[in-house]
Amino acid sequence: MIIDHPLLGPRDAAEFVVKGDASLIDRPDGLAEGAGDAFHDYLHLRDNPAGVHRELWYHEHGDRSWLVVTRNTLTHEVLKVELARDAARARGRSR
Amino acid sequence: MHYSALKIFLEGLTGNRGWGRVWREPEPKPAYDIVIVGGGGHGLSTAFYLSNEFGLTNVAVLEKGWLGSGNIGRNTTIIRSNYLLEGNQPFYELSMKLWEGLEQSFNYNAMVSQRGILNLYHSDGQRDAFARRGNAMRMTGAGAELLDRAQLEKMVPFLDYENARFPIKGALYQPRGGTVRHDAVAWGYARGADRKGVDILQNCEVTGFDIADGTCTGVQTSRGAIRAKKIVVCAAGSSSRVMSLAGMRLPIESHVLQAFVSEGLKPVIPGVITFGAGHFYISQSDKGGLVFGGDIDGYNTYAQRGNLPVVEDVCEGGMAVMPMIGRARLLRMWGGVMDMSMDGSPFIDRTHIGGLYFNGGWCYGGFKATPASGYCTAHLLAKDEPHPVAAAYRLDRFRRGVPIDEKGAGAQPNLH
């Protein structure tokens, strides 16, 4: 697989490590009501679709950026690559 | 029909015309006591033990494709019971005991070959860890020996003992480990269940669950609706897809594991050998092919094929441990889709939906577990309580804070 890095251009997938489902960006509020259950679901339960999937990739052997890669899990086609920072801000995260 | 030496002799005299079909191809009935979703190793062994051990024969196995089209025919055929943790090791030792009596119990030649498994160690720390693991194995009766370099060299002289980076210091040896003809396991279990009246329905894909008031009363399939008192899903690899039809999210990701086989060679590798410094394991099939594999690719996928970086990594591991295989030519390579769970351990449990049971999350250890997985799932279905050796394989173990994490890698499925 080739990951089209938004800053560096096309890079070999071997340069990356995969963290998993992009929902890991949405860390629950530890002080909110029901935080225990929220953290259980956040940490352990995953969407695992056959088809389009958004996931976090880390460019370990590169510029150490976190990316959100949108990929088809049936064909390995890479559909979209964005900086995780931009994806998190788009979801209303300030940092 | 019972297979025996006499039968082979008689069939030889009469032109092999009397063998007959190995299992029936029945039409689906409208209702069963128990429906098993998934006609792979675990589904078929569940059906076998339900019908042969627990006396429940009004059972159907629903398979989307053909029997054994999934991971039961895609693994590297290794059996072993060399785990460390209390929740795991007694279960895998039960599995090993069932392997040992398997061919007699289902009257089918599965070519169970206990040729031994060697886990190499490369450092003092690793030797200590293996000594501990070996003790855990001996406590469950699995048997283990810690070999030093001299003992190991007598058994397998061809390893690269003086490798500059990962010198081989010895191995943890389980003589009862080995290999089994994987397709024959599926066929033997299918035949054994079919003989007791279990309906095996191929080309029958489950498209939905009938759930009302928190209870599952049947399934919708590509061959019509089927009602059942109990339904168990044994669809590892596709667990998340199937259980999402019942509205469940699982602590599982699907990953691909690649396997490789070389051209047929004369006997060179006596048993199973695993590299302790990277991820590489190898055995030699009865046809002579070197069967080997390594790590999962590490990204979510349902494609039954992998990518080249892992091929390179596996071959590097092989060359580091036994450079002699460098001249062997690769014949085939393939991939299988794994249920990778959050702690590297499986699930055999009820779900929160009444009548719906789940067997999955086998990571890449599903093949060796096939007999015990079926036995314990059948026990759970028949008696509605978990078998003692599978009591830790609960779906709520993360919520309760008791994961069974052999590697200590945490909730990161691609590291297990």
Side-chain angles (χ1 to χ4, degrees), chain A residues 1 12-14 18-21 23 37 40-41 43-51 53 55 57 71 73-76, chain B residues 237 240-241 249-254 256 298-303 305-307 309 342 395-396 398-399 411-414:
Chain A
M1 280 186 290
D12 192 307
V18 185
K19 178 72 181 169
D21 193 340
S23 70
D37 282 343
H40 167 266
D41 294 356
L43 198 56
H44 295 113
L45 302 185
R46 299 284 159 86
D47 286 335
N48 186 17
H53 189 225
E55 50 201 25
W57 287 54
R71 226 167 35 86
T73 60
L74 287 165
T75 62
H76 295 168
Chain B
S240 298
R241 287 164 92 173
R249 284 174 92 211
L250 298 177
I252 285 172
E253 290 179 357
S254 294
V256 66
Y299 45 82
N300 287 38
T301 173
Y302 285 91
R305 61 176 189 280
N307 272 295
M342 292 293 150
L395 274 164
D396 67 351
F398 303 108
R399 196 180 290 281
Q412 186 61 40
N414 58 4

Side-chain angles (χ1 to χ4, degrees), chain B residues 189-325:
Chain B
Y189 274 129
R191 174 172 168 272
D194 178 83
R195 289 168 91 194
K196 292 279 183 184
V198 172
D199 282 357
I200 294 167
L201 308 169
Q202 301 182 71
N203 300 309
C204 184
E205 180 176 0
V206 168
T207 53
F209 293 91
D210 299 329
I211 298 170
D213 300 331
T215 303
C216 188
T217 55
V219 288
Q220 298 293 325
T221 78
S222 55
R223 294 174 71 176
I226 299 174
R227 281 178 287 118
K229 291 176 191 149
K230 292 178 182 175
I231 294 149
V232 60
V233 175
C234 303
S238 294
S239 291
S240 298
R241 287 164 92 173
V242 178
M243 297 309 279
S244 72
L245 297 174
M248 284 182 69
R249 284 174 92 211
L250 298 177
I252 285 172
E253 290 179 357
S254 294
H255 288 259
V256 66
L257 179 64
Q258 302 190 67
F260 310 83
V261 64
S262 78
E263 58 190 330
L265 303 169
K266 287 182 181 179
V268 284
I269 294 174
V272 182
I273 300 173
T274 75
F275 184 32
H279 206 152
F280 176 79
Y281 41 88
I282 188 165
S283 63
Q284 191 166 18
S285 78
D286 294 312
K287 283 193 289 186
L290 304 178
V291 183
F292 58 97
D295 230 336
I296 53 173
D297 271 37
Y299 45 82
N300 287 38
T301 173
Y302 285 91
Q304 287 177 317
R305 61 176 189 280
N307 272 295
L308 289 170
V310 170
V311 178
E312 189 179 8
D313 182 66
V314 170
C315 293
E316 282 170 355
M319 290 304 287
V321 72
M322 48 180 82
M324 71 170 183
I325 65 170

